Amino acid sequence: MQTKITMLILGLILSATAFAAPTDSLKVSHWKSDIQTGTNLNQASFSSNWKGGGVNSIAVGLFFNGHANYENTRLSFNNDLQLQYGFLKNDGQSLRKNADRIFLDSKLGYKISPHWNLFASTNFAAQFDKGYEYKKDAVTGEEKSYLISRFFAPAYLTNSIGAEYKPVSYFWLRFGTGTLRQTFVTDTTLYHNVPKNYGVDIGSKVRNEIAFQFIASFDKDIAKNMNLKVRYAAFANYETLRAIDNRLDVLLAAKINKFVSVNLSGTLLYDEDMDYHIQTSQTLAIGLLYSISSK
């Protein structure tokens, strides 16, 4: 377990090193990179006699998106790192997070035809902080919090090999015929509030699954200063093909000017190891944006 975590941390460090490569070296190589970082801030306040109703609130979000890609005649190496964390404070309630994501995807590809590649990839998904479910006590009516997630509980490490179809630069399909996914739940008491324990056997900290994975990605500027990203992933355990995990992420980002942007994002998720119903999330944010690009 400690060895796996050490290898994962090393991989993150190596990816960060690639993103931070000196601009001069990028100009004389096959590397292309870009970084976007910024913050979103939302605030509302009302006087005590405001008849329209409302709750004083403040919300802050931080994000980092980075890409570092290498490509020559046949060989390609693509890296995508996304970090996101946000919290909100409503008057009369405790501080609560409203965004939390760690996402790293690295893929090594070898071109076998104009539109087809063989690939090997590693994907890591987790969160930074504790997550809670809030419920009111049936007797007292008092709101209570229940821990349902935290760092590395759950976390997903997925290694895959297969074929990739890429007809154009902004769209590709991956067929991961040989995929190993490891689900980590390092908090062995979490099952008290999450009976399904994210698919990991109670008392264990990791679950291994051999599966088929399909991923479709679309990333294109659909108008001036407006970008659309769509990513769909399906994961089918070869032992239980009936229960297929599905996740769809959509992000529409528009730049108002060099430093201000508006983002509309949504996620649709179905995973029986979490819940038998579809999960959804949606956010709309306006904030400051800082970009660095080396082409």
Side-chain angles (χ1 to χ4, degrees):
M1 176 65 182
Q2 292 180 342
T3 302
K4 292 176 181 177
I5 295 177
T6 301
M7 293 176 65
L8 176 60
I9 294 174
L10 179 59
L12 289 170
I13 293 173
L14 291 174
S15 295
T17 302
F19 289 124
T23 304
D24 291 342
S25 65
L26 292 172
K27 288 182 179 179
V28 295
S29 72
H30 296 277
W31 284 96
K32 296 180 181 180
S33 68
D34 63 84
I35 291 175
Q36 292 183 341
T37 184
T39 181
N40 302 313
L41 176 64
N42 298 291
Q43 183 271 337
S45 62
F46 306 88
S47 64
S48 59
N49 63 339
W50 182 256
K51 298 303 187 288
V55 177
N56 296 344
S57 65
I58 184 170
V60 178
L62 305 172
F63 65 89
F64 174 93
N65 298 323
H67 299 85
N69 302 318
Y70 173 90
E71 187 169 356
N72 62 18
T73 305
R74 288 190 176 273
L75 192 65
S76 62
F77 182 44
N78 303 102
N79 301 276
D80 181 9
L81 176 63
Q82 300 175 25
L83 306 176
Q84 185 180 16
Y85 186 78
F87 59 88
L88 62 87
K89 178 66 171 69
N90 290 328
D91 191 24
Q93 295 181 339
S94 59
L95 190 70
R96 304 178 180 188
K97 70 175 183 178
N98 62 352
D100 192 357
R101 191 185 193 204
I102 303 172
F103 177 87
L104 171 65
D105 187 83
S106 293
K107 184 211 69 176
L108 182 66
Y110 183 78
K111 184 174 290 187
I112 57 175
S113 74
H115 299 316
W116 285 92
N117 302 315
L118 299 178
F119 79 88
S121 68
T122 296
N123 180 283
F124 175 70
Q127 60 185 23
F128 291 101
D129 202 2
K130 295 178 180 179
Y132 295 90
E133 182 178 13
Y134 299 92
K135 296 181 180 179
K136 287 188 176 181
D137 187 277
V139 178
T140 66
E142 180 184 354
E143 189 175 63
K144 294 185 176 180
S145 60
Y146 300 87
L147 182 68
I148 58 174
S149 60
R150 64 193 312 165
F151 181 67
F152 254 85
Y156 302 93
L157 180 62
T158 306
N159 298 295
S160 184
I161 58 173
E164 177 188 64
Y165 176 64
K166 190 174 183 179
V168 289
S169 61
Y170 54 84
F171 175 74
W172 51 258
L173 304 173
R174 282 190 209 167
F175 304 88
T177 53
T179 301
L180 168 65
R181 182 170 75 175
Q182 295 177 291
T183 303
F184 298 91
V185 179
T186 55
D187 186 338
T188 56
T189 66
L190 207 62
Y191 74 93
H192 293 298
N193 299 327
V194 187
K196 297 176 75 66
N197 205 39
Y198 300 100
V200 177
D201 291 337
I202 295 174
S204 299
K205 294 184 178 181
V206 63
R207 177 191 182 189
N208 298 314
E209 298 177 86
I210 304 297
F212 171 82
Q213 185 178 55
F214 170 77
I215 301 176
S217 177
F218 177 91
D219 184 349
K220 186 181 181 182
D221 291 337
I222 58 174
K224 185 178 181 180
N225 295 328
M226 183 176 293
N227 178 265
L228 176 64
K229 292 182 175 67
V230 181
R231 188 179 192 273
Y232 168 75
F235 181 88
N237 188 321
Y238 283 127
E239 293 183 358
T240 56
L241 289 176
R242 177 192 61 81
I244 299 176
D245 300 341
N246 297 270
R247 178 173 178 132
L248 175 66
D249 292 280
V250 180
L251 172 63
L252 181 63
K255 292 181 65 176
I256 297 176
N257 57 39
K258 186 176 180 180
F259 297 108
V260 179
S261 67
V262 176
N263 296 323
L264 175 62
S265 64
T267 298
L268 185 149
L269 173 64
Y270 179 77
D271 185 345
E272 290 189 4
D273 293 327
M274 297 183 186
D275 198 295
Y276 285 115
H277 298 90
I278 294 174
Q279 303 175 60
T280 62
S281 70
Q282 178 270 323
T283 59
L284 173 63
I286 181 171
L288 299 177
L289 172 71
Y290 180 69
S291 301
I292 300 175
S293 180
S294 177
K295 301 298 183 181

